[in-house]
Amino acid sequence: MSADPFGWVRARAAERTTAGLRRTVRPREPDVDLLDLASNDYLGLARDPRVVDGAVRAARTWGAGATGSRLVTGSTRLHAQLEERLAALTGAPAGLVFSSGYLANLGAVVALSGPGCLVVSDAHNHASIVDACRLSRSRVVVVAHRSPAAVAAALADRTEERALVVTDAVFSVEGELAPLPALAEVCRAHGAGLVVDEAHALGVVGPGGAGAVAAAGLAGAPDVVVTVTLSKSLAAQGGAVLGPPDVIAHVVDAARTFIFDTALAPASAGAALAALDVLAAEPELPARARDAAARLADLAGRCGLAAGRPDAAVVGIRIGTPEAAVAAQARCREAGVLVGCFRPPAVPDGVSRLRLTARADLAGGDLERVAAALATVGRQAPD
Ligand code: PMP
Protein backbone atom coordinates (compact mmCIF):
# COMPACT_ATOMS: atom_id res chain seq x y z
CA MET A 1 0.00 0.00 0.00
CA SER A 2 1.37 3.44 -0.93
CA ALA A 3 1.78 6.06 1.83
CA ASP A 4 0.98 8.82 -0.68
CA PRO A 5 -2.59 8.48 -1.97
CA PHE A 6 -1.95 10.99 -4.76
CA GLY A 7 1.50 9.81 -5.76
CA TRP A 8 0.02 8.24 -8.89
CA VAL A 9 -0.82 11.69 -10.31
CA ARG A 10 2.91 12.38 -10.78
CA ALA A 11 3.25 9.19 -12.81
CA ARG A 12 0.29 10.28 -14.96
CA ALA A 13 1.84 13.72 -15.41
CA ALA A 14 5.09 12.13 -16.62
CA GLU A 15 3.15 9.98 -19.11
CA ARG A 16 1.32 13.04 -20.40
CA THR A 17 4.56 14.98 -20.75
CA THR A 18 6.01 12.17 -22.89
CA ALA A 19 2.85 12.12 -25.04
CA GLY A 20 2.78 15.93 -25.46
CA LEU A 21 -0.51 16.13 -23.57
CA ARG A 22 0.26 18.41 -20.61
CA ARG A 23 -2.07 21.37 -20.27
CA THR A 24 -1.21 24.79 -18.89
CA VAL A 25 -3.45 27.44 -17.37
CA ARG A 26 -2.34 30.83 -18.70
CA PRO A 27 -4.03 33.83 -17.07
CA ARG A 28 -4.28 36.64 -19.60
CA GLU A 29 -3.95 40.39 -19.17
CA PRO A 30 -6.83 42.69 -20.18
CA ASP A 31 -4.88 44.26 -23.03
CA VAL A 32 -2.38 42.26 -25.03
CA ASP A 33 -1.17 42.87 -28.52
CA LEU A 34 -2.28 39.49 -29.79
CA LEU A 35 -4.98 38.92 -32.37
CA ASP A 36 -7.54 36.65 -30.74
CA LEU A 37 -8.61 33.75 -32.93
CA ALA A 38 -8.86 31.36 -29.99
CA SER A 39 -11.92 32.59 -28.12
CA ASN A 40 -15.55 31.91 -28.97
CA ASP A 41 -16.46 35.60 -29.19
CA TYR A 42 -17.89 35.07 -32.68
CA LEU A 43 -19.67 38.39 -32.96
CA GLY A 44 -16.90 40.40 -31.27
CA LEU A 45 -19.25 41.49 -28.47
CA ALA A 46 -17.38 40.44 -25.31
CA ARG A 47 -16.05 43.95 -24.75
CA ASP A 48 -18.76 45.85 -26.59
CA PRO A 49 -19.75 48.74 -24.30
CA ARG A 50 -23.45 48.00 -24.83
CA VAL A 51 -22.98 44.44 -23.60
CA VAL A 52 -20.68 45.39 -20.72
CA ASP A 53 -23.20 48.07 -19.67
CA GLY A 54 -25.93 45.42 -19.72
CA ALA A 55 -23.89 43.41 -17.22
CA VAL A 56 -23.15 46.43 -15.04
CA ARG A 57 -26.79 47.60 -14.94
CA ALA A 58 -27.96 44.11 -14.03
CA ALA A 59 -25.40 43.79 -11.24
CA ARG A 60 -26.34 47.21 -9.83
CA THR A 61 -30.04 46.36 -9.88
CA TRP A 62 -29.96 42.72 -8.81
CA GLY A 63 -26.64 42.26 -7.03
CA ALA A 64 -23.40 40.45 -7.72
CA GLY A 65 -24.84 36.97 -7.48
CA ALA A 66 -28.22 35.33 -7.99
CA THR A 67 -28.42 34.51 -4.22
CA GLY A 68 -29.97 31.09 -4.66
CA SER A 69 -31.10 28.34 -6.97
CA ARG A 70 -33.70 29.02 -9.65
CA LEU A 71 -36.54 27.46 -7.63
CA VAL A 72 -35.73 29.39 -4.44
CA THR A 73 -34.50 33.00 -4.82
CA GLY A 74 -32.38 32.82 -7.98
CA SER A 75 -35.01 33.59 -10.62
CA THR A 76 -35.11 37.32 -11.33
CA ARG A 77 -37.20 39.14 -13.90
CA LEU A 78 -34.04 39.24 -16.03
CA HIS A 79 -33.94 35.44 -16.17
CA ALA A 80 -37.57 35.37 -17.32
CA GLN A 81 -36.92 38.05 -19.97
CA LEU A 82 -33.88 36.18 -21.19
CA GLU A 83 -35.90 32.98 -21.53
CA GLU A 84 -38.52 34.81 -23.59
CA ARG A 85 -35.94 36.48 -25.80
CA LEU A 86 -34.00 33.27 -26.46
CA ALA A 87 -37.22 31.45 -27.28
CA ALA A 88 -38.23 34.25 -29.65
CA LEU A 89 -34.85 34.23 -31.41
CA THR A 90 -34.75 30.46 -31.91
CA GLY A 91 -38.46 30.12 -32.65
CA ALA A 92 -39.03 27.81 -29.69
CA PRO A 93 -42.25 28.08 -27.66
CA ALA A 94 -40.47 28.11 -24.27
CA GLY A 95 -37.04 28.34 -22.69
CA LEU A 96 -35.19 27.76 -19.45
CA VAL A 97 -31.92 29.42 -18.47
CA PHE A 98 -29.15 27.43 -16.78
CA SER A 99 -25.90 28.69 -15.32
CA SER A 100 -23.85 27.20 -18.18
CA GLY A 101 -24.25 25.47 -21.51
CA TYR A 102 -22.58 22.41 -20.02
CA LEU A 103 -25.23 22.21 -17.31
CA ALA A 104 -28.02 22.85 -19.84
CA ASN A 105 -26.87 19.80 -21.81
CA LEU A 106 -26.53 17.65 -18.70
CA GLY A 107 -29.92 18.79 -17.45
CA ALA A 108 -31.84 18.38 -20.69
CA VAL A 109 -30.38 15.07 -21.87
CA VAL A 110 -30.52 13.37 -18.47
CA ALA A 111 -34.06 14.63 -17.73
CA LEU A 112 -35.32 13.47 -21.14
CA SER A 113 -33.71 10.00 -21.12
CA GLY A 114 -33.15 7.50 -18.29
CA PRO A 115 -33.71 3.75 -18.03
CA GLY A 116 -36.10 2.59 -20.74
CA CYS A 117 -34.77 5.17 -23.22
CA LEU A 118 -32.14 4.59 -25.89
CA VAL A 119 -29.78 7.54 -26.38
CA VAL A 120 -28.07 7.87 -29.76
CA SER A 121 -25.11 10.24 -29.78
CA ASP A 122 -22.82 11.43 -32.61
CA ALA A 123 -19.21 10.30 -32.13
CA HIS A 124 -17.98 13.92 -32.27
CA ASN A 125 -20.46 15.39 -29.78
CA HIS A 126 -19.20 17.81 -27.14
CA ALA A 127 -17.91 16.51 -23.80
CA SER A 128 -21.01 17.86 -22.03
CA ILE A 129 -23.19 15.57 -24.17
CA VAL A 130 -20.83 12.64 -23.62
CA ASP A 131 -21.11 13.24 -19.87
CA ALA A 132 -24.88 13.61 -20.12
CA CYS A 133 -25.06 10.21 -21.85
CA ARG A 134 -22.97 8.68 -19.06
CA LEU A 135 -25.20 10.20 -16.38
CA SER A 136 -28.42 9.22 -18.14
CA ARG A 137 -28.45 5.57 -17.00
CA SER A 138 -29.78 4.84 -20.50
CA ARG A 139 -28.32 2.45 -23.04
CA VAL A 140 -26.17 4.72 -25.19
CA VAL A 141 -25.17 4.03 -28.79
CA VAL A 142 -22.41 6.26 -30.14
CA VAL A 143 -22.84 6.47 -33.91
CA ALA A 144 -20.60 7.46 -36.83
CA HIS A 145 -20.14 11.18 -37.25
CA ARG A 146 -22.85 12.99 -39.22
CA SER A 147 -24.55 9.77 -40.30
CA PRO A 148 -28.36 9.74 -40.41
CA ALA A 149 -28.09 6.13 -41.70
CA ALA A 150 -26.18 5.08 -38.58
CA VAL A 151 -28.76 6.84 -36.40
CA ALA A 152 -31.58 5.08 -38.27
CA ALA A 153 -29.89 1.68 -37.78
CA ALA A 154 -29.45 2.29 -34.03
CA LEU A 155 -33.09 3.37 -33.69
CA ALA A 156 -34.38 0.44 -35.73
CA ASP A 157 -32.51 -2.04 -33.51
CA ARG A 158 -33.89 -0.76 -30.25
CA THR A 159 -35.93 -2.63 -27.69
CA GLU A 160 -36.48 0.45 -25.52
CA GLU A 161 -39.84 2.17 -25.69
CA ARG A 162 -38.36 5.66 -25.95
CA ALA A 163 -35.39 7.08 -27.82
CA LEU A 164 -33.48 10.34 -27.89
CA VAL A 165 -31.01 11.42 -30.57
CA VAL A 166 -28.42 14.02 -29.52
CA THR A 167 -26.15 16.06 -31.75
CA ASP A 168 -24.11 19.23 -31.86
CA ALA A 169 -25.54 21.61 -34.48
CA VAL A 170 -22.05 22.81 -35.44
CA PHE A 171 -19.25 20.54 -34.26
CA SER A 172 -16.83 22.38 -32.03
CA VAL A 173 -13.51 21.19 -33.43
CA GLU A 174 -13.93 21.21 -37.22
CA GLY A 175 -16.91 23.54 -37.44
CA GLU A 176 -19.12 21.46 -39.72
CA LEU A 177 -22.93 21.37 -39.56
CA ALA A 178 -24.93 18.32 -38.49
CA PRO A 179 -27.30 16.99 -41.17
CA LEU A 180 -30.33 18.24 -39.22
CA PRO A 181 -33.12 17.82 -41.84
CA ALA A 182 -32.16 14.17 -42.42
CA LEU A 183 -31.72 13.52 -38.69
CA ALA A 184 -35.16 15.00 -37.95
CA GLU A 185 -36.69 12.80 -40.63
CA VAL A 186 -35.05 9.66 -39.19
CA CYS A 187 -36.16 10.63 -35.67
CA ARG A 188 -39.74 11.10 -36.85
CA ALA A 189 -39.75 7.77 -38.67
CA HIS A 190 -38.70 6.06 -35.42
CA GLY A 191 -40.61 8.14 -32.86
CA ALA A 192 -37.41 9.55 -31.32
CA GLY A 193 -36.90 13.00 -29.82
CA LEU A 194 -34.06 15.14 -31.18
CA VAL A 195 -31.84 17.30 -28.95
CA VAL A 196 -29.62 19.78 -30.81
CA ASP A 197 -26.81 21.69 -29.10
CA GLU A 198 -26.63 25.06 -30.85
CA ALA A 199 -23.55 26.25 -28.89
CA HIS A 200 -21.57 27.14 -32.03
CA ALA A 201 -24.55 27.95 -34.25
CA LEU A 202 -26.57 30.46 -32.24
CA GLY A 203 -25.82 33.96 -33.48
CA VAL A 204 -23.83 32.65 -36.44
CA VAL A 205 -26.09 30.31 -38.44
CA GLY A 206 -29.68 30.69 -39.58
CA PRO A 207 -31.96 33.68 -40.12
CA GLY A 208 -30.79 36.52 -37.84
CA GLY A 209 -28.50 34.06 -36.05
CA ALA A 210 -31.50 31.95 -34.95
CA GLY A 211 -29.40 28.78 -35.22
CA ALA A 212 -29.12 25.66 -37.33
CA VAL A 213 -32.46 24.23 -36.22
CA ALA A 214 -34.21 27.33 -37.59
CA ALA A 215 -32.08 27.18 -40.75
CA ALA A 216 -33.26 23.59 -41.23
CA GLY A 217 -36.92 24.68 -40.96
CA LEU A 218 -37.33 22.89 -37.62
CA ALA A 219 -37.85 25.90 -35.34
CA GLY A 220 -40.65 25.26 -32.86
CA ALA A 221 -41.05 21.61 -33.87
CA PRO A 222 -42.79 19.62 -31.11
CA ASP A 223 -40.21 16.83 -31.23
CA VAL A 224 -37.04 18.99 -31.18
CA VAL A 225 -35.28 20.40 -28.12
CA VAL A 226 -32.50 22.94 -28.46
CA THR A 227 -29.69 23.72 -26.03
CA VAL A 228 -27.54 26.85 -26.26
CA THR A 229 -24.70 28.54 -24.49
CA LEU A 230 -24.69 32.27 -23.78
CA SER A 231 -20.89 32.25 -23.68
CA LYS A 232 -20.02 32.33 -27.36
CA SER A 233 -21.91 34.64 -29.78
CA LEU A 234 -23.75 36.25 -26.90
CA ALA A 235 -20.44 37.06 -25.21
CA ALA A 236 -21.77 36.41 -21.70
CA GLN A 237 -21.99 33.23 -19.67
CA GLY A 238 -24.73 30.70 -19.07
CA GLY A 239 -26.88 28.31 -21.07
CA ALA A 240 -30.48 27.49 -21.91
CA VAL A 241 -32.80 24.70 -22.99
CA LEU A 242 -35.52 25.62 -25.50
CA GLY A 243 -38.47 23.57 -26.64
CA PRO A 244 -42.14 22.68 -26.17
CA PRO A 245 -43.67 24.08 -22.94
CA ASP A 246 -44.43 20.65 -21.46
CA VAL A 247 -40.86 19.51 -22.11
CA ILE A 248 -39.51 22.65 -20.44
CA ALA A 249 -41.86 22.10 -17.47
CA HIS A 250 -40.53 18.54 -17.19
CA VAL A 251 -36.94 19.85 -17.21
CA VAL A 252 -37.87 22.25 -14.35
CA ASP A 253 -39.19 19.29 -12.36
CA ALA A 254 -36.47 16.80 -13.22
CA ALA A 255 -33.15 18.38 -14.24
CA ARG A 256 -30.81 18.19 -11.27
CA THR A 257 -28.41 20.74 -12.80
CA PHE A 258 -31.32 23.19 -12.83
CA ILE A 259 -32.75 22.38 -9.40
CA PHE A 260 -29.55 22.08 -7.36
CA ASP A 261 -27.35 24.76 -8.95
CA THR A 262 -27.22 28.45 -8.04
CA ALA A 263 -28.93 30.47 -10.76
CA LEU A 264 -27.03 32.34 -13.46
CA ALA A 265 -25.54 35.60 -12.10
CA PRO A 266 -27.67 38.65 -12.97
CA ALA A 267 -24.70 40.32 -14.70
CA SER A 268 -24.46 37.42 -17.14
CA ALA A 269 -28.21 37.52 -17.83
CA GLY A 270 -27.98 41.30 -18.38
CA ALA A 271 -25.01 40.92 -20.74
CA ALA A 272 -26.76 38.20 -22.76
CA LEU A 273 -29.90 40.34 -23.05
CA ALA A 274 -27.81 43.29 -24.26
CA ALA A 275 -26.04 41.04 -26.79
CA LEU A 276 -29.45 39.91 -28.08
CA ASP A 277 -30.35 43.60 -28.54
CA VAL A 278 -27.15 44.16 -30.53
CA LEU A 279 -27.85 41.10 -32.67
CA ALA A 280 -31.36 42.38 -33.41
CA ALA A 281 -30.06 45.87 -34.26
CA GLU A 282 -27.21 44.57 -36.44
CA PRO A 283 -28.60 41.57 -38.32
CA GLU A 284 -25.57 41.50 -40.61
CA LEU A 285 -23.28 40.24 -37.78
CA PRO A 286 -23.85 36.47 -38.31
CA ALA A 287 -23.00 36.67 -42.03
CA ARG A 288 -19.92 38.75 -41.22
CA ALA A 289 -18.66 36.06 -38.83
CA ARG A 290 -19.28 33.33 -41.42
CA ASP A 291 -17.55 35.35 -44.16
CA ALA A 292 -14.55 35.92 -41.90
CA ALA A 293 -14.37 32.16 -41.29
CA ALA A 294 -14.42 31.44 -45.02
CA ARG A 295 -11.57 33.90 -45.50
CA LEU A 296 -9.53 32.29 -42.69
CA ALA A 297 -10.01 28.83 -44.23
CA ASP A 298 -8.95 30.22 -47.59
CA LEU A 299 -5.80 31.74 -46.09
CA ALA A 300 -4.95 28.43 -44.41
CA GLY A 301 -5.42 26.56 -47.68
CA ARG A 302 -3.13 28.98 -49.48
CA CYS A 303 -0.46 28.27 -46.85
CA GLY A 304 -0.70 24.56 -47.70
CA LEU A 305 -2.63 23.69 -44.54
CA ALA A 306 -5.55 21.25 -44.36
CA ALA A 307 -8.47 23.45 -43.37
CA GLY A 308 -12.04 22.19 -43.45
CA ARG A 309 -14.71 24.26 -45.19
CA PRO A 310 -16.39 26.18 -42.37
CA ASP A 311 -20.18 26.08 -42.02
CA ALA A 312 -20.12 28.60 -39.17
CA ALA A 313 -17.32 30.55 -37.44
CA VAL A 314 -15.02 27.65 -36.48
CA VAL A 315 -12.10 26.76 -38.75
CA GLY A 316 -10.31 23.48 -37.96
CA ILE A 317 -6.84 22.86 -39.38
CA ARG A 318 -5.50 19.31 -39.20
CA ILE A 319 -1.89 19.19 -38.06
CA GLY A 320 -1.20 15.61 -36.91
CA THR A 321 0.67 14.83 -33.71
CA PRO A 322 -0.07 16.71 -30.47
CA GLU A 323 3.54 17.97 -30.40
CA ALA A 324 3.26 19.38 -33.93
CA ALA A 325 -0.05 21.08 -33.07
CA VAL A 326 1.41 22.66 -29.93
CA ALA A 327 4.47 23.83 -31.90
CA ALA A 328 2.20 25.32 -34.62
CA GLN A 329 0.17 27.12 -31.96
CA ALA A 330 3.39 28.53 -30.48
CA ARG A 331 4.54 29.77 -33.91
CA CYS A 332 1.24 31.58 -34.40
CA ARG A 333 1.62 33.16 -30.99
CA GLU A 334 5.15 34.34 -31.85
CA ALA A 335 3.62 35.91 -34.97
CA GLY A 336 1.07 37.73 -32.78
CA VAL A 337 -1.95 35.48 -33.35
CA LEU A 338 -3.64 33.49 -30.62
CA VAL A 339 -5.19 30.24 -31.92
CA GLY A 340 -6.68 27.21 -30.23
CA CYS A 341 -5.06 23.78 -30.17
CA PHE A 342 -7.04 20.55 -29.86
CA ARG A 343 -5.25 17.40 -28.77
CA PRO A 344 -6.40 14.05 -27.37
CA PRO A 345 -8.65 13.46 -25.51
CA ALA A 346 -10.56 16.32 -27.22
CA VAL A 347 -9.77 14.74 -30.61
CA PRO A 348 -8.68 11.20 -31.61
CA ASP A 349 -4.96 10.32 -31.83
CA GLY A 350 -3.16 11.53 -34.94
CA VAL A 351 -5.59 14.32 -35.82
CA SER A 352 -4.57 17.09 -33.43
CA ARG A 353 -5.62 20.41 -34.80
CA LEU A 354 -5.35 24.12 -34.67
CA ARG A 355 -8.70 25.76 -34.24
CA LEU A 356 -9.22 29.29 -35.49
CA THR A 357 -12.41 31.08 -34.60
CA ALA A 358 -13.60 33.89 -36.80
CA ARG A 359 -15.14 37.05 -35.44
CA ALA A 360 -17.55 39.41 -37.11
CA ASP A 361 -15.19 42.31 -36.30
CA LEU A 362 -12.06 40.97 -38.03
CA ALA A 363 -10.57 43.67 -40.25
CA GLY A 364 -8.41 43.45 -43.36
CA GLY A 365 -5.23 44.18 -41.36
CA ASP A 366 -6.07 41.32 -39.01
CA LEU A 367 -6.28 38.92 -41.91
CA GLU A 368 -2.84 39.99 -43.15
CA ARG A 369 -1.47 39.19 -39.72
CA VAL A 370 -3.13 35.77 -39.81
CA ALA A 371 -1.71 35.10 -43.28
CA ALA A 372 1.80 35.85 -42.01
CA ALA A 373 1.31 33.60 -38.97
CA LEU A 374 -0.12 30.69 -40.94
CA ALA A 375 2.70 30.99 -43.49
CA THR A 376 5.20 30.17 -40.71
CA VAL A 377 3.12 27.09 -39.81
CA GLY A 378 2.71 26.03 -43.44
CA ARG A 379 6.47 26.18 -44.04
CA GLN A 380 7.11 23.78 -41.16
CA ALA A 381 4.16 21.43 -41.55
CA PRO A 382 5.18 17.85 -42.49
CA ASP A 383 4.27 16.68 -46.02
N1 PMP B 1 -21.66 22.54 -26.13
C1 PMP B 1 -20.65 22.80 -26.97
C2 PMP B 1 -20.72 22.24 -28.36
C3 PMP B 1 -19.57 23.57 -26.55
O1 PMP B 1 -18.56 23.81 -27.38
C4 PMP B 1 -19.56 24.09 -25.24
C5 PMP B 1 -18.47 24.99 -24.71
N2 PMP B 1 -17.22 24.78 -25.08
C6 PMP B 1 -20.62 23.76 -24.39
C7 PMP B 1 -21.66 23.01 -24.87
C8 PMP B 1 -20.63 24.22 -22.97
O2 PMP B 1 -21.07 25.53 -22.86
P1 PMP B 1 -20.61 26.42 -21.61
O3 PMP B 1 -19.21 26.85 -21.90
O4 PMP B 1 -21.60 27.51 -21.57
O5 PMP B 1 -20.66 25.55 -20.41
Side-chain angles (χ1 to χ4, degrees):
M1 217 187 319
S2 162
D4 178 359
F6 298 121
W8 62 275
V9 302
R10 284 187 290 281
R12 286 288 157 80
E15 284 163 24
R16 290 197 189 102
T17 301
T18 308
L21 295 177
R22 288 308 294 277
R23 287 168 155 77
T24 317
V25 177
R26 283 207 198 152
R28 62 183 168 94
E29 297 300 323
D31 294 302
V32 280
D33 186 30
L34 282 172
L35 175 62
D36 168 23
L37 297 184
S39 72
N40 298 309
D41 184 17
Y42 299 137
L43 302 184
L45 296 180
R47 301 179 75 161
D48 186 298
R50 296 166 290 184
V51 176
V52 175
D53 283 351
V56 170
R57 274 197 314 275
R60 291 208 186 284
T61 307
W62 295 100
T67 77
S69 62
R70 288 292 311 270
L71 295 174
V72 186
T73 55
S75 290
T76 69
R77 245 188 357 252
L78 280 185
H79 293 78
Q81 266 172 30
L82 184 55
E83 283 160 353
E84 275 169 32
R85 294 284 302 277
L86 289 168
L89 174 61
T90 57
L96 192 65
V97 164
F98 284 66
S99 59
S100 78
Y102 208 114
L103 295 179
N105 275 338
L106 288 186
V109 172
V110 175
L112 295 172
S113 56
C117 179
L118 169 71
V119 178
V120 181
S121 177
D122 186 289
H124 289 198
N125 276 344
H126 186 256
S128 53
I129 296 176
V130 174
D131 289 354
C133 290
R134 290 174 181 160
L135 275 177
S136 71
R137 291 176 300 128
S138 300
R139 184 166 71 90
V140 177
V141 177
V142 176
V143 287
H145 181 45
R146 297 176 78 236
S147 173
V151 171
L155 292 175
D157 271 355
R158 83 177 195 263
T159 51
E160 293 83 355
E161 198 184 320
R162 295 186 287 118
L164 198 66
V165 174
V166 194
T167 186
D168 284 10
V170 168
F171 290 87
S172 42
V173 180
E174 288 209 79
E176 72 284 34
L177 269 171
L180 291 180
L183 283 176
E185 206 173 298
V186 165
C187 286
R188 280 175 190 161
H190 293 275
L194 178 61
V195 177
V196 182
D197 176 359
E198 297 262 33
H200 299 280
L202 187 78
V204 180
V205 175
V213 166
L218 296 165
D223 47 0
V224 176
V225 172
V226 164
T227 62
V228 299
T229 176
L230 313 178
S231 65
K232 302 187 194 298
S233 297
L234 299 183
Q237 189 114 20
V241 179
L242 301 139
D246 49 355
V247 169
I248 297 301
H250 172 76
V251 174
V252 170
D253 285 337
R256 295 167 66 82
T257 59
F258 179 79
I259 299 167
F260 296 106
D261 185 38
T262 296
L264 181 68
S268 297
L273 278 164
L276 287 168
D277 286 341
V278 174
L279 182 58
E282 300 180 20
E284 69 283 3
L285 286 176
R288 267 207 227 143
R290 293 196 306 271
D291 291 348
R295 272 180 284 150
L296 290 178
D298 195 42
L299 284 180
R302 278 195 263 140
C303 294
L305 297 167
R309 185 185 60 83
D311 285 328
V314 175
V315 181
I317 300 177
R318 283 189 187 213
I319 299 287
T321 64
E323 292 88 344
V326 170
Q329 183 187 36
R331 279 198 295 277
C332 287
R333 196 183 171 94
E334 281 157 22
V337 181
L338 205 55
V339 303
C341 172
F342 276 56
R343 297 170 285 164
V347 294
D349 278 340
V351 288
S352 289
R353 286 176 179 80
L354 292 185
R355 178 179 182 273
L356 278 52
T357 50
R359 292 203 321 268
D361 60 344
L362 282 182
D366 296 331
L367 291 171
E368 279 167 28
R369 209 160 152 185
V370 180
L374 291 180
T376 70
V377 175
R379 273 200 298 278
Q380 299 191 30
D383 294 333

